[in-house]
């Protein structure tokens, strides 16, 4: 079974995003970019399935600028076998990404597509679900456990108030939640080896997909500044303060 793992290049999760002064978006100049953390979990899960003998090949795919090659090389260094870059400098929305991924899946015929549950830049949480709908395939979203057995895959999902386990027939779509696994670090020898693994370059036009945005961003704003806290001497002072603030009667 082949596994397709879409990986997105996003602003590093340790970086505090700065909003552009004109409010049109987040300033990405001179900012550290990395693989979307949920996609690292997806790559790790694919590698574990391959190590267990449940998968034979892992193909990483990214849609984005030429620099997204770095993200793909990271996936290759972790253990993916080959990579596809669909290069575009335009902003691609989840629907366009899902259409491109469907086109790749039509060519590659993977048994599983494992995506992140969301990209931490746009927080859309849409691509996996849209892909499942476009492909007419079952989906197990927010996975915290994945077990493959024959042509079915059992996915334990993190839902409100607990865990739900669903059984899907492959080919299927899975999106990863935080607790699925802890991704490995790529070792230096594997980073070197990844440089010679195959990376195919394509464009959205090669797949006949129109990536024109359907959404218009009206405004991006910083969250309101948090007020500084204050120290209090004892419980009596706390209650007086809360009463004065109208929090307790
Ligand atoms: P989103 O729906 O944008 O929150 O993204 C959910 C998941 O879709 C991500 O974790 C990735 O696995 C995948 N994805 C989204 N955008 C891209 C992209 N440009 N290239 C590759 N994968 C993507």
């Amino acid at each position: 079974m082949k596994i397709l793992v879409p990986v997105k290049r996003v602003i590093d999760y340790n970086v505090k995003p700065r909003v552009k002064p004109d409010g049109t978006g987040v300033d990405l100049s001179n900012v550290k970019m990395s693989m979307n953390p949920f996609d690292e979990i997806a790559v790790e899960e694919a590698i574990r399935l391959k190590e267990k003998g449940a998968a034979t090949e892992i193909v990483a795919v990214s849609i984005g600028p030429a620099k997204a090659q770095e993200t793909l090389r990271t996936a290759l260094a972790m253990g993916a076998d080959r990579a596809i870059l669909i290069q575009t400098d335009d902003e691609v929305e989840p629907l366009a990404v899902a259409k491109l991924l469907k086109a790749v899946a039509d060519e590659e015929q993977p048994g599983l597509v494992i995506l992140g549950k969301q990209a931490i830049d746009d927080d859309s949480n849409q691509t996996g679900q849209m892909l499942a709908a476009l492909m007419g395939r079952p989906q197990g979203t927010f996975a915290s456990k994945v077990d493959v057995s024959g042509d079915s895959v059992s996915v334990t999902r993190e839902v409100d108030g607990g865990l739900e386990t669903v059984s899907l027939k492959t080919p299927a779509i899975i999106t990863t939640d935080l607790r699925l696994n802890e991704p490995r670090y790529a070792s230096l020898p594997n980073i070197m080896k990844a440089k010679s693994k195959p990376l195919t370059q394509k464009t959205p036009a090669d797949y006949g997909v129109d990536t024109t945005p359907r959404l218009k961003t009206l405004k991006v704003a910083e969250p309101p500044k948090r007020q500084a806290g204050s120290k209090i001497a004892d419980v009596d002072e706390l209650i007086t303060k809360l009463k004065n603030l109208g929090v307790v009667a």
Side-chain angles (χ1 to χ4, degrees), residues 5-10 36-40 42 61-65 68 72 86 88 92-95 97-98 100-101 114-130 174-176:
V5 188
V7 293
K8 187 176 187 187
R9 179 175 185 264
V10 298
N36 182 44
F38 293 106
D39 303 353
E40 282 184 1
V61 54
S62 193
I63 298 134
L72 288 169
I86 306 177
T88 171
V92 273
E93 290 173 356
L95 181 59
V97 173
L100 286 165
L101 293 176
I114 311 183
L115 305 91
K117 73 167 177 181
Q118 73 195 61
I120 61 162
D121 52 358
D122 58 22
D123 274 343
S124 294
N125 178 7
Q126 293 175 351
T127 309
Q129 295 88 329
M130 286 176 167
I174 294 173
T175 73
T176 61

Side-chain angles (χ1 to χ4, degrees), residues 4-5 7 59-63 68 72 76 82-87 104 107-108 198-202 207:
L4 189 66
V5 188
V7 293
V59 182
V61 54
S62 193
I63 298 134
L72 288 169
L76 294 170
R82 61 188 172 87
I84 303 169
L85 171 66
I86 306 177
Q87 196 178 326
V104 174
E107 264 182 29
E108 297 282 347
L199 193 158
T200 313
Q201 302 228 21
K202 298 273 193 180
Y207 296 101

Side-chain angles (χ1 to χ4, degrees), residues 21-35:
D22 63 2
T24 54
V26 170
D27 188 358
L28 293 179
S29 46
N30 301 319
V31 167
K32 182 172 184 232
M33 305 290 283
S34 301
M35 188 190 300

